[in-house]
Amino acid sequence: MLGETVITHDEIQRAVAVLAREIDADLEGREPVFICVLKGAVYFFTALTQRIRHPVVVDFIQASSYGATTESSGTVTLIKDVTVDIAGKDIYVVEDIVDTGLTLADVVALLQARHPRSVQVVALLSKPSRRKVQVRLDFVGFEIEDRFVVGFGLDFAERFRNLPEIREFVPDGEATP
Ligand code: 5GP
């Protein structure tokens, strides 16, 4: 069931504006390709890229998700690949949330193999206490504690993505009495 609001819509918008300014300053002289990791990052991705003043190329990639559980399986499969040639380009991977880091590590390795000039990571949320592999996050909106959240793109079994804020979600049977 849905729990309390962890980050309000206004707080998200303010963080996105700050991130966009930082990234814009970093874009001088680069040939950026912004890659949205579907589906969770899509709301963050559109909000962020619309606030970036430099011209950017956008593309989409989809890796396997949790399905109907709240734990990562640890094996990531590619469902949809990017369509642009990223060789020699400056890549900004845009993620909704970095939890264990397994998904991101795989996505970054896959992109690195195509010889981009650089790969940087932009994440709306990070749960540092859950990390299983070390991944470098270049731009982060919020660090949160170990709780499962939904909204602003994040789902539980494909639901709640369109919530404008980020809320805790407690699967049935796990609620504290
Ligand atoms: P990781 O591979 O870092 O463990 O997990 C990354 C993916 O798991 C995210 O892109 C997201 O789809 C999903 N995920 C991790 N934590 C959460 C969470 O708290 N809520 C939701 N809805 N998805 C999560």
Side-chain angles (χ1 to χ4, degrees):
M1 55 178 231
L2 277 178
E4 63 172 357
T5 297
V6 179
I7 308 171
T8 67
H9 186 72
D10 279 357
E11 287 168 338
I12 297 170
Q13 295 302 328
R14 281 198 293 274
V16 168
V18 171
L19 287 173
R21 273 200 299 278
E22 287 173 10
I23 293 168
D24 247 331
D26 188 61
L27 285 177
E28 209 55 58
R30 294 196 192 258
E31 280 192 68
V33 179
F34 279 66
I35 299 179
C36 174
V37 184
L38 293 171
K39 299 175 189 174
V42 75
Y43 290 77
F44 175 45
F45 186 79
T46 54
L48 180 75
T49 51
Q50 282 184 334
R51 284 183 181 266
I52 288 172
R53 289 288 147 251
H54 281 77
V56 304
V57 170
V58 300
D59 208 338
F60 302 87
I61 198 166
Q62 188 171 7
S64 63
S65 70
Y66 284 4
T69 77
T70 56
E71 284 291 321
S72 174
S73 63
T75 29
V76 169
T77 14
L78 193 63
I79 297 166
K80 188 220 168 292
D81 203 349
V82 294
T83 57
V84 299
D85 180 8
I86 62 167
K89 299 290 194 301
D90 296 296
I91 307 306
Y92 291 79
V93 179
V94 181
E95 259 285 20
D96 51 358
I97 187 164
V98 182
D99 187 33
T100 63
L102 292 166
T103 309
L104 184 61
D106 275 18
V107 168
V108 168
L110 184 135
L111 297 173
Q112 289 282 18
R114 295 163 186 186
H115 310 293
R117 187 162 76 156
S118 64
V119 178
Q120 297 195 81
V121 175
V122 189
L124 177 61
L125 305 174
S126 171
K127 288 190 213 168
S129 66
R130 294 259 310 163
R131 217 61 102 239
K132 286 187 183 155
V133 289
Q134 282 318 309
V135 280
R136 197 191 71 238
L137 306 186
D138 301 279
F139 303 93
V140 179
F142 302 91
E143 288 195 346
I144 61 167
E145 54 192 72
D146 180 12
R147 64 217 292 215
F148 192 81
V149 291
V150 295
F152 207 74
L154 290 155
D155 75 312
F156 174 72
E158 294 302 330
R159 294 173 61 209
F160 310 115
R161 291 194 196 278
N162 63 322
L163 284 176
E165 71 278 356
I166 291 172
R167 295 177 63 167
E168 183 162 23
F169 180 80
V170 185
D172 286 342
E174 286 182 27
T176 37

